[in-house]
Amino acid sequence: MIKLSNSDDGGELGEFTDGPGRTSAAAFLPDGKLLATSSENGFVKLWDTGTLKERAILKGHLLGVHSLGVSPDGSRLAS
């Protein structure tokens, strides 16, 4: 489970479940509108932080993904 909180007051903004496989990393894209998560099942997912809905599943890893990096302009995601 992933919980989003307001960094100003700590209030909870919402929560969502990343599905099977433990979430191993998370990274916000620069505009804060998308959150990338990775998991031990080898998936990288993009989430809409406003609706908490899954926007995309990035497949292709054969093993778990344990770290994520986002370019400063948000155009690239490394896993």
Side-chain angles (χ1 to χ4, degrees), residues 10-73:
E12 188 173 310
L13 299 173
E15 62 183 47
F16 54 92
T17 302
D18 195 12
R22 187 173 162 184
T23 300
S24 53
F28 283 100
L29 275 72
D31 66 4
K33 295 179 181 178
L34 289 177
L35 174 70
T37 62
S38 63
S39 63
E40 294 178 349
N41 64 10
F43 294 139
V44 174
K45 295 183 179 182
L46 297 178
W47 301 88
D48 183 307
T49 59
T51 64
L52 303 181
K53 302 239 186 250
E54 186 180 284
R55 294 273 303 269
I57 299 175
L58 309 176
K59 300 177 182 178
H61 294 88
L62 300 177
L63 300 172
V65 179
H66 299 284
S67 62
L68 296 169
V70 179
S71 65
D73 66 358

